[in-house]
Amino acid sequence: MNQPNIVVFLSDDHAEWALGCSGNSEIRTPALDHLARTGVRMRNAFTVSPVCSPARASFWTGLLPSQHGLHDFLAERDPEVNAVPWLGRETLLADLLQDAGYQTAMVGKWHLGRSEQQRPGFDHWRPRDYLSQVSPAAGRHAVTDDAVAFLRDRDIDRPFFLYVGHYATHSPWRDHPERIVGQYRTASFADIPDDPVYPYGRMAGEALFPTRTDPREALAQYYAAATEIDEGVGRVLDELEAQDLADDTLVVYLSDHGLMTGHHGLWGKGNATVPYNMLEESIRVPMILNHPGVLLGGQTRDEFVTQCDLFELLLEHADVPVPEAVRRRHRYPGRSFRSLCRGGAEPNWPDAVYGEYGDTRMIRTRANKLVNQPTVGRTMLFDLNGDPRETADVAGQKQWETTVSVLTTRLNSYFAQYDEPDTSGLRVAELPRHNRREAWRDHGRHDIVAHPPWLTDQADR
């Protein structure tokens, strides 16, 4: 085929550590492990923002949150939030692929506003998430059912782009198939470190769910969710094989951000604390790419990559350029790593990765992580070599003054290239409201809740 088919699985809250191929000794993910073993695993893949909607927006646009304007998760059941035309001005990956002749499909979690309305750029639109399903189990199976149905009903004369948004690993961590959960109730969960509580933020969000009172059951449910997603991936791979499409299809697996399940004494991701955190388990994501005979399988790559880099790779792989009129609107931060996936070398590949969540910004190098939190007037530095669990902020120690200065300059210089005034995270408190739990509008509450507030009819109120 002149244009390869593309299948992207983008799961919600599936942490990089929660895969067999990433080294977890107890979790069972045979389909994903197979994709990694026969494909390319990027073991230093990071999210640009450790929360759902901004990270997903960056996948679709190739832009940073301070460019596309989404800075927190969207409470779509809130009329005020749903009235905002999020990403209304942006050109999405699906737009570009559709214009190039691809049949485009979205099934599963969208979470970028107005899920009930089919977005331009998609030929096939089947949004589903934990908010819209009568039965959690039925909803989770339906994502894979919809993906397989598309593959069977598609236009066979056109290349296709299929996006599959799994969400089983998202809270609340319960109600997963007993046939899977039961296998994990006797697990040791030895891969979860026994950390003291992260001292640089007040617990918030999922860190205050009742999950914390029965962590072994919650872990059994979370591990089962990862296995359940793996089964869904396997069904789609089997369908590609049945239609003799495997050799003509690039398959990508990643998640929007990471998750902590007791790591650092927390449950959740970037918003498990206020101020928001950039802890490793929050920002690391799985990223696996597999295209037999096109990408060089059997590789584990060490380069830093993000969703913005994947955006560029997918377009290069499809031989679809971003039109000059589109590129003139933004300075795109990503860089395609397709040559790396084909076994090449890139000696000048960036030695740092950057992230943001609202006005919190981060630079992470091989040795250090600097996090700037202007809301509380704080810059933190973590020595990732000497303190990989990020227990101690060393920014105030004299021997680290030069490192803080150099990394601060690099962080500011990076965002100076891409920050756009109308959408900048530094002025997030002036931008449209995403939900009623934004840290920049925080009221200091410590609510332990029986259910996530966005599962009720009065979401986030």
Side-chain angles (χ1 to χ4, degrees):
M1 297 180 65
N2 293 326
Q3 292 177 296
N5 304 310
I6 301 172
V7 177
V8 174
F9 298 94
L10 199 161
S11 292
D12 195 5
D13 284 25
H14 190 180
E16 186 272 340
W17 58 262
L19 287 165
C21 58
S22 296
N24 190 295
S25 62
E26 294 182 301
I27 207 161
R28 288 183 283 280
T29 51
L32 293 171
D33 295 349
H34 167 76
L35 281 178
R37 185 173 58 254
T38 60
V40 183
R41 182 171 72 90
M42 307 301 295
R43 71 176 181 181
N44 278 316
F46 295 86
T47 185
V48 297
S49 185
V51 71
C52 176
S53 300
R56 290 166 180 269
S58 291
F59 165 79
W60 286 110
T61 65
L63 303 171
L64 300 175
S66 280
Q67 296 176 296
H68 59 60
L70 272 77
H71 293 281
D72 208 344
F73 73 87
L74 296 180
E76 292 186 3
R77 302 180 84 178
D78 185 320
E80 179 186 337
V81 174
N82 211 32
V84 177
W86 305 100
L87 300 183
R89 302 180 303 168
E90 303 303 337
T91 300
L92 305 191
L93 176 67
D95 297 317
L96 298 171
L97 293 175
Q98 187 186 62
D99 288 346
Y102 276 79
Q103 185 178 10
T104 56
M106 194 290 294
V107 303
K109 183 168 181 178
W110 176 243
H111 207 173
L112 293 172
R114 301 181 182 179
S115 296
E116 73 283 358
Q117 297 180 10
Q118 182 163 338
R119 170 91 189 200
F122 292 95
D123 299 298
H124 184 88
W125 182 261
R126 295 290 184 276
R128 297 180 186 272
D129 59 31
Y130 38 78
L131 300 179
S132 60
Q133 303 305 320
V134 175
S135 162
R140 292 192 294 265
H141 287 296
V143 173
T144 300
D145 292 343
D146 289 344
V148 171
F150 167 77
L151 290 174
R152 292 176 178 174
D153 297 339
R154 65 191 169 83
D155 181 350
I156 62 172
D157 294 323
R158 297 169 62 190
F160 63 83
F161 168 77
L162 169 61
Y163 166 90
V164 185
H166 282 294
Y167 54 85
T169 36
H170 196 284
S171 63
W173 299 290
R174 65 184 187 212
D175 300 327
H176 293 285
E178 184 60 28
R179 64 182 174 82
I180 306 177
V181 179
Q183 301 175 46
Y184 288 119
R185 289 207 175 94
T186 57
S188 70
F189 302 115
D191 297 290
I192 309 298
D194 183 17
D195 289 329
V197 174
Y198 177 69
Y200 302 107
R202 171 176 58 81
M203 287 191 196
E206 290 162 317
L208 294 177
F209 286 2
T211 301
R212 67 203 311 276
T213 65
D214 192 358
R216 284 193 58 84
E217 175 64 15
L219 280 168
Q221 294 281 346
Y222 183 75
Y223 276 43
T227 298
E228 188 178 359
I229 286 175
D230 187 84
E231 290 181 346
V233 171
R235 281 184 58 199
V236 173
L237 297 180
D238 288 348
E239 186 63 30
L240 293 174
E241 290 280 359
Q243 295 191 34
D244 197 25
L245 293 171
D247 289 345
D248 299 322
T249 305
L250 168 66
V251 176
V252 179
Y253 186 87
L254 77 156
S255 66
D256 47 8
H257 47 73
L259 194 77
M260 297 174 284
T261 58
H263 306 78
H264 309 281
L266 301 169
W267 286 76
K269 49 265 187 183
N271 54 14
T273 60
V274 173
Y276 295 150
N277 70 79
M278 291 286 183
L279 290 162
E280 286 291 285
E281 288 79 7
S282 293
I283 64 174
R284 282 187 173 272
V285 298
M287 189 180 292
I288 301 166
L289 303 95
N290 192 300
H291 191 167
V294 180
L295 304 185
L296 182 62
Q299 292 191 82
T300 298
R301 302 293 311 204
D302 205 40
E303 291 83 2
F304 290 160
V305 293
T306 71
Q307 292 101 332
C308 293
D309 300 313
L310 181 61
F311 173 89
E312 300 289 348
L313 178 144
L314 293 174
L315 291 176
E316 183 185 3
H317 200 72
D319 195 22
V320 175
V322 177
E324 282 303 313
V326 174
R327 284 213 181 264
R328 281 197 297 269
R329 291 191 57 236
H330 299 288
R331 183 171 185 175
Y332 282 75
R335 177 177 174 179
S336 173
F337 54 100
R338 185 172 182 269
S339 63
L340 300 176
C341 294
R342 290 172 61 83
E346 292 281 355
N348 296 318
W349 194 261
D351 65 347
V353 67
Y354 300 83
E356 58 176 324
Y357 190 167
D359 58 0
T360 293
R361 290 178 170 178
M362 174 208 74
I363 174 174
R364 186 207 188 278
T365 67
R366 300 281 176 182
N368 303 111
K369 179 188 295 179
L370 183 134
V371 180
N372 181 249
Q373 298 170 324
T375 300
V376 293
R378 181 169 66 189
T379 294
M380 297 187 293
L381 179 71
F382 296 98
D383 172 15
L384 298 178
N385 290 330
D387 178 26
R389 300 307 304 150
E390 301 173 84
T391 62
D393 168 22
V394 298
Q397 298 181 17
K398 187 172 181 58
Q399 64 267 37
W400 293 101
E401 287 180 355
T402 300
T403 302
V404 170
S405 177
V406 169
L407 292 182
T408 299
T409 298
R410 291 184 65 182
L411 180 68
N412 293 339
S413 176
Y414 179 83
F415 278 98
Q417 297 179 67
Y418 304 110
D419 195 57
E420 299 180 14
D422 291 344
T423 49
S424 172
L426 294 184
R427 54 182 297 264
V428 68
E430 306 167 40
L431 300 180
R433 183 172 60 80
H434 304 74
N435 58 69
R436 295 184 182 272
R437 287 176 40 209
E438 297 167 332
W440 41 92
R441 297 184 175 98
D442 179 58
H443 300 293
R445 291 165 49 178
H446 294 257
D447 295 339
I448 296 179
V449 296
H451 303 288
W454 52 89
L455 293 183
T456 69
D457 289 334
Q458 298 298 316
D460 296 287
R461 292 187 179 275

